[in-house]
Amino acid sequence: MISHPFSEPPAPGTAIEVAPGILWMRIALPMVLDHVNVYALDEGDSWTLVDTGVHTSKNRTAWQVLQVQPLAGKPIRRVIITHHHPDHIGMAGFFTAQGAAIWTSRTAYLMARMLTLDVQDRPRAETLAFWRAAGMDAAVLDQRAAERPFNFSDVVAPLPLGFERLAEGDVLVSAGRSWDVRVGHGHAPEHLTFWSRDDNVIIGGDQFLPSISPNLGVYATEPGADTVGDWLQSCRAFQPLARDDYLVLPGHKLPFTGLPFRLQMKISNHLAALERLRDHLIVPRVAAECFEAIFGREIAADDSAYGLALGEAVGHLNHLLALGEVSREARPDGVWEWRRR
């Protein structure tokens, strides 16, 4: 079972020492999921940070407060990024401007740098075609087509030209420990996790969350991605390595123990969703008609989760397509219809 050794998160501007030399802090997010966990690893004369929060003036101020206390004014010399999403890499450029180096996976760095440079005034034709193919509500599609889309550069500070690469099988030395670098996929490509050889601590990012499921969305950048297949494969690969006593430091929510149970829960949840989706596809459906089958509830077009749900619905459908269990056919209007074989 899952348990939480720390019942409350750190208050703004404070930290909790979750293991010797490891501080847990929180940075606010301007969304329903209103925080991201960040960690400071004590290197003696400096700090290594793991993840950073989005880049906003409010968060620049928050970090300036944290750097005075509880980081005691010691410099931040290294910033490790678990994956390329803005809530994790957003402030990294703020710290490199102060002399820190970015360490992350090659894919995470290249994805983030590419997206920060790709500033759009209106959605690209490929993005509109992807949304249309998924069956996006016509009114939502028309509204989005006329609006400036979300750009990484809105909440991600400019990234430096270079970075230090971390890859599967590497050993990271930090906070008096040697950490095995293990890579997951599905939520983000080449998502880094860190497993201490010297005690029972894991830094899990969004690969290991205690109570929420990370989004497994598909986007126009890789419309055929099998994010659900990648996720299931990663969860199964981590299972032989997991122990109940590991203290997992996640990207959101509370640190927890019980990783074997959580991994099996995540696998079971998606397998159950896929089974419901198979039954749902006895008749042809578009991706936007599959929300209840996958998530157990309908998601209205004006729901803030609508776009994320649409991408994840495509992810589940792509997985069944990769398994050869469904077929799809494009209608004259460009919308894909999916049917169980």
Side-chain angles (χ1 to χ4, degrees), residues 155-184:
V155 292
V156 177
L159 292 167
L161 178 63
F163 75 108
E164 296 290 336
R165 184 188 180 194
L166 291 168
E168 176 75 36
D170 286 349
V171 177
L172 173 75
V173 177
S174 184
R177 298 165 175 82
S178 295
W179 305 79
D180 288 310
V181 179
R182 293 175 175 143
V183 174

Side-chain angles (χ1 to χ4, degrees), residues 40-195:
L41 310 182
D42 193 348
E43 310 294 11
D45 62 349
S46 65
W47 297 98
T48 290
L49 295 185
V50 180
D51 292 337
T52 67
V54 295
H55 183 231
T56 63
S57 59
K58 180 179 178 180
N59 284 346
R60 286 197 301 271
T61 300
W63 270 114
Q64 288 164 354
V65 171
L66 288 168
Q67 286 178 270
V68 175
Q69 285 292 342
L71 300 187
K74 291 195 301 186
I76 294 165
R77 296 258 171 80
R78 175 168 58 179
V79 180
I80 294 173
I81 304 301
T82 58
H83 61 296
H84 77 277
H85 292 163
D87 52 329
H88 297 264
I89 202 170
M91 291 287 292
F94 172 80
F95 293 109
T96 61
Q98 300 178 23
I102 292 179
W103 292 43
T104 191
S105 68
R106 178 180 289 164
T107 304
Y109 172 79
L110 293 177
M111 285 286 291
R113 184 162 168 82
M114 178 269 290
L115 289 168
T116 57
L117 298 175
D118 183 20
V119 179
Q120 303 172 24
D121 180 64
R122 293 292 184 272
R124 295 188 182 277
E126 298 95 326
T127 299
L128 295 173
F130 175 78
W131 287 336
R132 186 176 298 109
M136 177 176 278
D137 178 85
V140 174
L141 183 61
D142 288 345
Q143 179 181 347
R144 291 191 175 197
E147 293 178 342
R148 183 181 187 274
F150 167 77
N151 288 286
F152 256 54
S153 59
D154 295 339
V155 292
V156 177
L159 292 167
L161 178 63
F163 75 108
E164 296 290 336
R165 184 188 180 194
L166 291 168
E168 176 75 36
D170 286 349
V171 177
L172 173 75
V173 177
S174 184
R177 298 165 175 82
S178 295
W179 305 79
D180 288 310
V181 179
R182 293 175 175 143
V183 174
H185 302 274
H187 175 61
E190 275 201 294
H191 184 305
L192 299 177
T193 67
F194 303 92
W195 304 57

Side-chain angles (χ1 to χ4, degrees), residues 9 96 197 201 209 251 270:
T96 61
R197 292 182 174 182
V201 180
L209 299 178
H270 284 287

